[in-house]
Amino acid sequence: MGALLISMIDNALNILGVPYYYITLIKGLIILVAASIDLIRIQRRESK
């Protein structure tokens, strides 16, 4: 599911003409945010 979302964002940004550098930056930020959210959810679940 995540790979599909990343590829859709990649294609959309390419169509919009966004430079490759920014596409890579945006994809990296999305992955970082998703991993952080997952970590926070796991920590909250274990603390209960």
Side-chain angles (χ1 to χ4, degrees):
M1 184 74 165
L4 179 64
L5 180 64
I6 292 292
S7 66
M8 287 173 49
I9 291 170
D10 189 33
N11 287 335
L13 293 173
N14 276 327
I15 290 171
L16 292 172
V18 176
Y20 181 73
Y21 172 78
Y22 293 115
I23 294 173
T24 305
L25 181 67
I26 291 168
K27 289 191 302 186
L29 289 173
I30 291 170
I31 292 170
L32 235 136
V33 168
S36 298
I37 290 170
D38 189 46
L39 182 64
I40 291 168
R41 286 180 50 219
I42 290 171
Q43 288 177 343
R44 285 186 180 172
R45 190 179 314 142
E46 289 177 352
S47 67
K48 288 185 179 182

